[in-house]
Amino acid sequence: MKANESNFVELIRKRQEDGILYVIDTYGGLLKSIVRKRLFTWPDRIDECMNDIFLGIWQNINSFDEKKGSFAGWAAGVARLEAIDVLRRIRREPCSVSLEDMEAEIPAEDPGLFALAKQELSRETEEMLNCLPPKDRELFRRIFMEEETPEDAGRALGISRDNVYVRIFRGKKRIRGKFGERRRV
């Protein structure tokens, strides 16, 4: 049976490929424009998302109700939700690079480049910590750079455990505020 506007939904429900091929040909452009709108910064993920949309339509066709709306509207909703799911997956992917990873990526023949990167990172870190009072700056160095426990760092600086956590909280807030101002400028 050849798929057309009146029977393609029924063909998909009967698990006949002609139905989904009709959807791809007829509604593919609409669905792709919805996906492109959300994934414009990740063009390499668009085709994967489109495949997931057509799979979702194939698997969930029984949830489509002709009485509630058009197929185009329902399929557009599937596309929108799938694109949002892809965005969520992208955001969960680690995006930071550790210093050790950076060291592995820089060729061994050029240790100067690694030293320069490490120096730049140290300079930025010092610049961020300069907005803190000296005692808090030392506390942050001990906890976040030397990886001491908060209890040990507090003991060494003569600060109670509870006060250490309060200082960390306030210091992070101050750094975020200062760093956030720079990013907006």
Side-chain angles (χ1 to χ4, degrees):
M1 175 184 285
K2 184 81 174 149
N4 58 41
E5 188 63 34
S6 61
N7 71 352
F8 74 94
V9 173
E10 211 43 54
L11 289 175
I12 296 173
R13 286 186 176 139
K14 292 178 181 176
R15 300 294 182 221
Q16 294 182 10
E17 286 182 24
D18 287 343
I20 198 70
L21 292 174
Y22 180 83
V23 170
I24 292 169
D25 290 341
T26 307
Y27 299 100
L30 168 70
L31 301 178
K32 195 163 195 168
S33 69
I34 292 169
V35 170
R36 275 192 193 138
K37 181 180 177 183
R38 287 185 169 64
L39 299 179
F40 66 93
T41 55
W42 294 280
D44 56 318
R45 302 285 182 106
I46 291 174
D47 288 336
E48 174 189 344
C49 185
M50 290 299 294
N51 291 335
D52 292 344
I53 290 167
F54 294 126
L55 180 64
I57 290 171
W58 180 264
Q59 291 176 338
N60 299 303
I61 192 67
N62 290 327
S63 67
F64 169 63
D65 186 2
E66 295 89 357
K67 296 172 189 164
K68 291 184 179 179
S70 69
F71 179 81
W74 179 78
V78 171
R80 184 177 59 82
L81 293 174
E82 187 59 43
I84 290 170
D85 285 346
V86 169
L87 281 175
R88 286 181 184 144
R89 277 182 268 167
I90 290 170
R91 288 187 182 126
R92 275 188 244 129
E93 292 174 358
C95 61
S96 62
V97 178
S98 70
L99 196 54
E100 290 79 22
D101 292 342
M102 222 166 126
E103 183 178 11
E105 290 177 10
I106 296 174
E109 303 89 48
D110 194 1
L113 188 57
F114 178 70
L116 181 67
K118 192 171 185 175
Q119 180 183 6
E120 181 67 21
L121 185 61
S122 295
R123 187 188 62 76
E124 288 177 3
T125 304
E126 285 301 319
E127 194 177 313
M128 288 176 66
L129 291 178
N130 280 337
C131 71
L132 301 174
K135 202 167 193 176
D136 290 352
R137 196 176 314 143
E138 181 61 27
L139 182 68
F140 270 67
R141 275 194 193 98
R142 286 176 174 266
I143 293 173
F144 296 106
M145 295 170 79
E146 297 171 15
E147 298 181 5
E148 285 185 27
T149 65
E151 289 79 13
D152 291 342
R155 208 173 301 117
L157 295 172
I159 303 171
S160 71
R161 180 182 167 273
D162 292 336
N163 196 347
V164 167
Y165 287 106
V166 169
R167 286 174 182 254
I168 290 171
F169 173 76
R170 289 181 181 159
K172 282 182 177 181
K173 188 175 179 180
R174 183 177 282 168
I175 289 171
R176 278 190 207 112
K178 187 169 178 113
F179 186 69
E181 288 174 16
R182 282 188 182 166
R183 292 198 83 153
R184 283 185 227 120
V185 173

